[in-house]
């Protein structure tokens, strides 16, 4: 699935199963909540925190998909074409960081 196809599919889902989009502020809060759930898993799986008994059923891929879903909702609501935005962002980073990382002693 392309990013464009994902934006269309999410919009179709929202307008049928989801009935309508939550407002942008609600979706922003939901995005932060979903990012927090990813952070919780990362801290326990790759960091120094341990899992609680209630954490045993967590699924990192599903939580990342939740983040992507809400981000796509926000993009759709605000008229952002994520394909174009990502392409422009990568171009910006490529120009800005052309030598930066290659010359970073910490990365060698």
């Amino acid at each position: 699935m392309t990013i464009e196809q994902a934006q269309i599919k999410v919009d179709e889902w929202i307008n049928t199963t989801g009935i309508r989009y939550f407002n942008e502020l609600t979706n922003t809060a939901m995005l932060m909540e979903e990012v927090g759930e990813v952070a919780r898993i990362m801290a326990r799986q790759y960091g120094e925190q341990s899992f609680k008994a209630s954490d045993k059923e967590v699924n990192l891929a599903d939580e990342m998909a939740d983040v992507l879903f809400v981000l796509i909702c926000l993009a759709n609501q605000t008229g952002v074409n994520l394909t174009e935005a990502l392409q422009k962002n990568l171009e910006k980073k490529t120009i800005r960081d052309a030598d930066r990382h290659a010359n970073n002693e910490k990365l060698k």
Side-chain angles (χ1 to χ4, degrees), residues 54-80:
S54 61
D55 292 333
K56 296 298 180 191
E57 300 296 319
V58 297
N59 181 323
L60 181 59
D62 187 54
E63 296 303 336
M64 287 182 172
D66 285 342
V67 170
L68 184 58
F69 180 88
V70 180
L71 182 63
I72 290 171
C73 286
L74 283 165
N76 288 349
Q77 289 176 280
T78 59
V80 172

Side-chain angles (χ1 to χ4, degrees), residues 88-100:
K88 287 178 183 176
N89 187 270
L90 286 170
E91 289 169 12
K92 174 189 77 175
K93 284 175 173 39
T94 300
I95 292 166
R96 181 191 69 200
D97 300 331
D99 297 319
R100 180 174 162 226

Side-chain angles (χ1 to χ4, degrees), residues 17-34:
T17 307
I19 308 300
R20 67 170 179 80
Y21 285 92
F22 294 124
N23 68 42
E24 295 85 352
L25 185 56
T26 298
N27 274 336
T28 300
M30 290 174 62
L31 179 61
M32 297 306 101
E33 180 182 344
E34 297 299 348

Side-chain angles (χ1 to χ4, degrees), residues 2-59:
T2 66
I3 297 172
E4 180 181 1
Q5 290 168 332
Q7 283 194 252
I8 292 167
K9 192 169 224 40
V10 167
D11 188 64
E12 289 171 353
W13 187 93
I14 289 292
N15 288 301
T16 56
T17 307
I19 308 300
R20 67 170 179 80
Y21 285 92
F22 294 124
N23 68 42
E24 295 85 352
L25 185 56
T26 298
N27 274 336
T28 300
M30 290 174 62
L31 179 61
M32 297 306 101
E33 180 182 344
E34 297 299 348
V35 168
E37 291 176 14
V38 169
R40 180 181 179 94
I41 293 170
M42 296 300 288
R44 283 157 177 72
Q45 190 164 338
Y46 300 100
E48 296 167 344
Q49 288 187 330
S50 60
F51 282 100
K52 298 177 185 175
S54 61
D55 292 333
K56 296 298 180 191
E57 300 296 319
V58 297
N59 181 323

